[in-house]
């Protein structure tokens, strides 16, 4: 290699500095992962070159045997990881090894508290990548050249991990990337043949690219002693070098599946579960799908990375092929390898290929089945649900055909436990249904406390009828797409007439009718006093403790959805609520006895309170407060 030219010193992006600092200080107990990260990058680089060379064989520069090589020098205290993959040009080096390209990492760093303990745990939650070199090295040199460029377009990157790095042009006869780690004085253990080999096996058996290490063979003399200076270096492939998904399931250990996950998902923590399938026949493909144990930062971002790693007949085609899974399963990671597509398929072509739809529908079923299996392990499923539940809730709207399968996978808070943890299934609910109960009752409001304490639940609590408590932003949207479960329809208890069906006896119904008759006059007066603030006034038997509540007509959009749409700038036609009064309540009795302005004020207070209890906003809260204060001081 000739001397470097055009040398330039640059500062790491602020986030990189923070990351380096954290990593060096908190990943101390798990230092060996640097090797996994470097091998993973080398394998990705080989995949990329193989793909690019499909169109242009010349990119191999006569060396199409893709591989990773690892060497060490215990005297110098160095470890070298080399690949003959795609390589990088100068701009790419600066971009990839000077900034944090991965979205969400900056976000992640913002969340750090500085408490070492906590940081160590948090840092375990995302991929650390190339920078993990500095866990074991105090000096890192990268030499790289992009495949297909001239020998003098090589680049050398060098850093001691302390805020700055240098880049320079160098001559690089071979394409690909070489990373030389100068080990810290306390990391000398890694410059050891045995240690490196066992790490390579542990971290890269599942990678198709061979990882080779040198073996020095010496010729022996007649007495069996090594002949000095007779050593010849041969390269030995240390890993299995077969793509994991190609191997038979029975021969793959859980640890191997987990390691492979970390490689494909660029994740640092274990997956919750996986499903590995080889399908032959009309549609041929192999898929290996994983449910991650934690959410990526861009889960709710429109253009967040999603989808599977796509291979066609073992040739890597692209990362994040999002066409093979629906949006509501965007948390699933993994690999799809198929012979149904051509090697030169592009994202655009994927959109037009009818086979893609077929594979998508098959993978969707696999993923849903995998979740169903996971649900048998309550604890693991709860982790899944707490992490991805609100994404899965998009399912019934997006995937009508599978909505029953999805419904089985949903978990809810209900009045059975009154806990904010969503851990009850619809099957659990149905099993506990009262005799004579034909519907599944639910209520939606903003916030768990609002929903749990809603006046609408009073009658249900009194009668011991369970109600699903929904308070996620997406819940009303979800419920508008769930029509039935197990032949039972869903009823929003805050909308329309309250009909408990056969749960209520004939006598009860008769008594209610009589009360309604007796209060006809009161109802008329309240309606007159409130004018068109309300659509209708009624007496109700929904309530036991509260004096009044507001109800929406059955087919009206709920309060939650209205608020979301209004917040998004949508103009919605106004709906007037129905005010329902509890004839048994003292305040209602007092209302009945009141007259003139006193009557009007009390009626308005009851209406405003009912709106507040629903989590709604008053047009004129000050007027409400004044009326209430007048009443209190009267
Ligand atoms: P990730 O692999 O998750 O993208 P890394 O920090 O490991 O994150 O690597 C950052 C980027 O640097 C990679 O996406 C890749 O573009 C580039 N890179 C790293 N190592 C290599 C390599 N050996 N060959 C080519 N490019 C590499
Ligand atoms: Mg990486």
């Amino acid at each position: 290699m000739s001397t470097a030219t055009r040398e330039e010193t640059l500062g790491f992006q602020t986030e990189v500095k923070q990351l380096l600092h954290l990593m060096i200080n908190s990943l101390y107990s798990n230092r060996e992962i640097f090797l996994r990260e470097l091998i993973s990058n080398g394998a990705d680089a080989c995949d990329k070159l193989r793909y690019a060379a499909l169109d242009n064989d010349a990119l191999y520069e006569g060396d199409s045997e893709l591989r990773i090589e690892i060497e060490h020098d215990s005297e110098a205290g160095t470890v070298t990881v080399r690949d003959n993959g795609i390589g990088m040009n100068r701009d790419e080096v600066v971009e990839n090894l000077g900034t944090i390209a991965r979205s969400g990492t900056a976000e992640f760093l913002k969340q750090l508290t500085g408490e070492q303990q906590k940081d160590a745990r948090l840092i375990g939650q995302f991929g650390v990548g190339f920078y993990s070199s500095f866990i074991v090295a105090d000096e890192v040199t990268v030499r790289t050249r992009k495949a297909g460029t001239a020998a003098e377009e090589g680049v050398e990157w060098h850093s001691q991990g302390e805020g700055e790095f240098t880049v320079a042009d160098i001559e690089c006869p071979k394409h690909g990337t070489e990373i030389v780690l100068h080990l810290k004085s306390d990391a000398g253990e890694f410059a050891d043949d045995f240690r490196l080999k066992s790490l390579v096996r542990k971290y890269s058996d599942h990678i198709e690219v061979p990882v080779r290490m040198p073996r020095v063979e010496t010729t022996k003399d007649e007495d069996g002693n090594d002949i000095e200076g007779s050593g010849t270096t041969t390269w030995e492939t240390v890993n299995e070098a077969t793509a994991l998904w190609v191997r038979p399931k029975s021969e793959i250990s859980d640890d191997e599946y987990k390691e492979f996950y970390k490689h494909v998902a660029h994740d640092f923590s274990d997956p919750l579960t996986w499903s590995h399938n080889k399908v032959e026949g009309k549609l041929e493909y192999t898929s290996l799908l994983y449910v991650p144990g934690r959410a990526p930062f861009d889960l709710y971002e429109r253009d967040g990375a999603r989808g599977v790693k796509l291979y066609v007949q073992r040739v890597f085609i692209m990362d994040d092929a999002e066409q093979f899974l629906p949006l509501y399963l965007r948390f699933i990671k993994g690999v799809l390898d198929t012979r149904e597509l051509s090697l030169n398929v592009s994202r655009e072509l994927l959109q037009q290929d009818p086979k893609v739809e077929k594979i998508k529908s098959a993978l969707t079923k696999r993923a849903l089945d995998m979740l169903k299996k996971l649900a048998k392990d309550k604890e693991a499923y709860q982790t899944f649900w707490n992490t991805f539940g609100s994404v899965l809730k998009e399912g019934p709207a997006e995937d009508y055909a599978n909505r029953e399968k999805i419904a089985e996978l949903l978990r809810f808070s209900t009045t059975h436990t009154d806990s904010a943890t969503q851990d009850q299934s619809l099957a659990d609910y149905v099993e506990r249904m009262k005799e004579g109960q034909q519907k599944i009752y639910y209520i939606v409001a903003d916030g768990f406390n609002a929903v749990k304490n809603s006046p609408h639940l009073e009658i249900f609590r009194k009668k011991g009828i369970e109600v699903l408590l929904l308070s996620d932003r997406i819940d009303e949207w979800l419920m508008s797409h769930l029509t039935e479960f197990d032949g039972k329809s869903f009823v929003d208890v805050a909308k329309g007439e309250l009909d408990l069906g056969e749960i209520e006896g004939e006598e009860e119904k008769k008594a209610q009718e009589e009360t309604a008759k007796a209060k006809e006059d009161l109802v008329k007066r309240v309606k007159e006093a409130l004018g068109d603030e309300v659509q209708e006034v009624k007496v109700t038997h929904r309530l036991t403790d509260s004096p009044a509540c507001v109800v929406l007509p059955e087919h009206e959009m709920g309060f939650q959805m209205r608020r979301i749409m209004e917040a998004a700038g949508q103009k919605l036609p106004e709906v007037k609520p129905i005010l329902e009064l509890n004839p048994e309540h003292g305040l209602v009795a007092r209302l009945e006895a009141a007259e003139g302005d006193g009557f009007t004020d009390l009626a308005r207070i009851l209406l405003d309170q009912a709106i507040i209890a629903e989590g709604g906003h008053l047009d004129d809260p000050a007027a409400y407060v004044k009326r209430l204060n007048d009443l209190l001081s009267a």
Side-chain angles (χ1 to χ4, degrees):
M1 252 158 250
S2 68
T3 42
T5 54
R6 236 177 18 121
E7 187 167 307
E8 190 182 8
T9 301
L10 297 166
F12 283 119
Q13 187 193 21
T14 321
E15 282 84 4
V16 177
K17 283 186 217 164
Q18 281 174 283
L19 180 66
L20 284 171
H21 178 78
L22 263 171
M23 222 156 33
I24 291 163
N25 293 298
S26 29
L27 280 177
Y28 203 80
S29 60
N30 198 15
R31 299 195 295 176
E32 62 187 45
I33 55 107
F34 80 91
L35 196 64
R36 169 180 79 202
E37 298 297 329
L38 296 184
I39 293 175
S40 175
N41 286 349
D44 286 347
C46 290
D47 270 350
K48 285 179 195 158
L49 177 55
R50 189 183 293 138
Y51 178 63
L54 289 175
D55 281 345
N56 180 8
D57 229 12
L59 290 179
Y60 283 130
E61 300 176 12
D63 180 12
S64 63
E65 218 180 285
L66 296 169
R67 63 190 177 268
I68 295 169
E69 289 171 355
I70 300 178
E71 281 182 282
H72 72 278
D73 179 336
S74 36
E75 257 157 58
T78 58
V79 172
T80 301
V81 180
R82 187 183 304 124
D83 65 69
N84 61 347
I86 190 88
M88 288 176 272
N89 62 30
R90 187 168 173 132
D91 288 346
E92 287 166 337
V93 167
V94 173
E95 168 77 22
N96 296 332
L97 312 183
T99 62
I100 291 185
R102 219 180 290 105
S103 74
T105 307
E107 203 48 43
F108 159 83
L109 288 162
K110 270 191 221 133
Q111 295 186 10
L112 292 177
T113 57
E115 281 172 58
Q116 175 102 8
Q117 198 49 28
K118 218 169 157 191
D119 292 351
R121 225 179 30 240
L122 270 172
I123 204 164
Q125 294 184 356
F126 78 115
V128 285
F130 168 77
Y131 300 111
S132 65
S133 309
F134 289 101
I135 308 172
V136 293
D138 49 21
E139 219 182 303
V140 177
T141 307
V142 179
R143 293 188 193 95
T144 182
R145 178 167 67 74
K146 185 132 188 167
T149 62
E152 27 337 323
E153 290 182 53
V155 187
E156 183 173 275
W157 178 103
H158 180 261
S159 177
Q160 297 177 332
E162 285 163 351
E164 284 178 352
F165 61 94
T166 58
V167 275
D169 292 350
I170 54 163
E171 190 160 316
C172 248
K174 288 185 178 166
H175 67 270
T177 304
E178 172 180 274
I179 296 162
V180 184
L181 308 180
H182 182 267
L183 297 173
K184 293 179 185 175
S185 56
D186 63 356
E189 57 177 287
F190 293 108
D192 173 81
D193 201 53
F194 183 79
R195 184 75 203 273
L196 286 172
K197 276 195 179 129
S198 68
L199 289 178
V200 169
R201 285 195 201 97
K202 175 168 174 190
Y203 289 128
S204 62
D205 261 355
H206 57 265
I207 287 173
E208 179 157 32
V209 180
V211 180
R212 310 195 318 186
M213 285 177 63
R215 182 166 52 192
V216 180
E217 289 189 59
T218 40
T219 320
K220 313 252 183 227
D221 64 16
E222 284 152 18
D223 303 326
N225 298 318
D226 291 350
I227 298 175
E228 200 149 330
S230 68
T232 47
T233 304
T234 52
W235 289 93
E236 175 191 10
T237 298
V238 181
N239 64 339
E240 286 228 7
T242 331
L244 183 97
W245 66 89
V246 179
R247 291 161 53 193
K249 278 205 248 188
S250 56
E251 285 173 20
I252 307 172
S253 72
D254 284 3
D255 280 344
E256 285 178 297
Y257 275 120
K258 288 179 189 170
E259 275 313 319
F260 186 66
Y261 165 75
K262 291 173 188 174
H263 170 64
V264 244
H266 296 263
D267 191 0
F268 203 77
S269 42
D270 284 341
L272 280 178
T273 187
W274 54 86
S275 166
H276 183 188
N277 296 285
K278 267 182 216 178
V279 179
E280 275 158 20
K282 259 199 248 147
L283 201 63
E284 291 200 13
Y285 68 88
T286 300
S287 61
L288 172 52
L289 304 179
Y290 289 93
V291 180
R294 60 172 198 93
F297 287 91
D298 50 10
L299 187 60
Y300 292 99
E301 277 166 33
R302 236 168 234 280
D303 43 9
R306 58 190 58 137
V308 292
K309 221 172 156 139
L310 176 64
Y311 288 76
V312 170
Q313 299 179 52
R314 306 266 291 285
V315 177
F316 167 77
I317 305 293
M318 65 179 83
D319 281 310
D320 311 325
E322 72 267 14
Q323 293 80 358
F324 296 95
L325 282 169
L327 213 51
Y328 71 95
L329 294 174
R330 61 182 174 270
F331 50 83
I332 302 270
K333 298 278 179 212
V335 167
L336 167 69
D337 189 351
T338 179
R339 28 174 77 249
E340 304 292 338
L341 303 169
S342 84
L343 281 165
N344 57 19
V345 73
S346 63
R347 277 183 207 276
E348 291 65 42
L349 288 174
L350 280 181
Q351 275 159 13
Q352 301 153 12
D353 196 324
K355 290 217 167 114
V356 172
E357 253 332 287
K358 285 195 184 135
I359 299 176
K360 176 179 177 180
S361 135
L363 289 195
T364 302
K365 290 219 160 62
R366 297 256 174 236
L368 293 174
D369 285 346
M370 166 166 66
L371 292 175
K372 192 172 170 176
K373 264 199 199 132
L374 181 67
K376 290 186 184 142
D377 176 348
K378 276 231 152 69
E379 201 181 318
Y381 195 74
Q382 201 57 46
T383 304
F384 159 73
W385 184 261
N386 295 344
T387 317
F388 299 115
S390 54
V391 179
L392 196 67
K393 282 178 178 180
E394 297 170 12
E398 188 187 351
D399 188 357
Y400 191 76
N402 284 309
R403 74 191 187 292
E404 274 172 40
K405 279 193 174 177
I406 302 165
E408 287 173 27
L409 296 170
L410 300 174
R411 294 295 178 271
F412 298 91
S413 289
T414 91
T415 52
H416 180 68
T417 55
D418 268 341
S419 151
T421 310
Q422 299 172 8
D423 58 0
Q424 303 295 312
S425 69
L426 291 172
D428 294 335
Y429 180 101
V430 167
E431 207 177 285
R432 289 190 291 258
M433 275 170 63
K434 286 236 143 195
E435 201 165 312
Q437 182 181 344
Q438 291 132 333
K439 319 246 168 179
I440 298 173
Y441 296 101
Y442 72 92
I443 180 163
V444 191
D446 280 343
F448 182 69
N449 282 329
V451 73
K452 182 177 112 181
N453 298 320
S454 167
H456 292 285
L457 296 176
E458 289 171 10
I459 181 76
F460 292 90
R461 292 197 187 277
K462 186 176 159 200
K463 291 192 176 287
I465 302 167
E466 187 171 350
V467 181
L468 304 176
L469 303 173
L470 298 165
S471 57
D472 285 350
R473 264 178 81 92
I474 187 163
D475 280 341
E476 198 179 322
W477 174 250
L478 165 70
M479 296 315 287
S480 66
H481 290 90
L482 273 187
T483 43
E484 267 192 13
F485 178 77
D486 195 17
K488 290 150 189 87
S489 54
F490 289 91
V491 174
D492 182 344
V493 304
K495 280 189 195 167
E497 290 280 339
L498 174 67
D499 179 9
L500 295 179
E502 289 168 23
I503 308 172
E504 284 179 314
E506 280 307 309
E507 259 169 56
E508 239 171 316
K509 282 187 186 153
K510 223 161 131 198
Q512 286 161 11
E513 273 163 32
E514 273 165 26
T515 324
K517 238 195 165 103
K519 301 291 173 192
E520 261 175 9
D521 190 44
L522 172 68
V523 160
K524 223 168 101 196
R525 286 171 67 207
V526 175
K527 175 71 180 111
E528 270 166 23
L530 297 176
D532 53 6
E533 305 258 319
V534 290
Q535 186 173 111
E536 199 185 337
V537 179
K538 285 185 189 172
V539 288
T540 185
H541 55 288
R542 283 183 216 264
L543 304 172
T544 60
D545 302 327
S546 305
C549 66
V550 283
V551 175
L552 285 178
E554 196 171 338
H555 298 293
E556 212 40 79
M557 186 184 290
F559 291 112
Q560 189 197 35
M561 191 102 96
R562 288 190 76 85
R563 275 193 287 275
I564 292 170
M565 298 192 66
E566 278 163 3
Q570 286 253 16
K571 278 251 174 301
L572 298 171
E574 236 186 308
V575 262
K576 300 292 180 193
I578 300 163
L579 178 68
E580 296 197 353
L581 299 169
N582 174 3
E584 313 293 336
H585 200 280
L587 267 184
V588 175
R590 188 157 157 191
L591 176 70
E592 206 166 6
E595 278 178 56
D597 286 349
F599 180 87
T600 310
D601 281 350
L602 189 51
R604 298 201 62 127
I605 286 173
L606 290 178
L607 173 63
D608 287 350
Q609 282 187 341
I611 292 171
I612 294 172
E614 216 61 59
H617 295 285
L618 300 180
D619 282 342
D620 188 355
Y624 163 74
V625 173
K626 183 173 182 316
R627 269 185 224 115
L628 190 64
N629 288 345
D630 287 349
L631 186 77
L632 288 171
S633 50

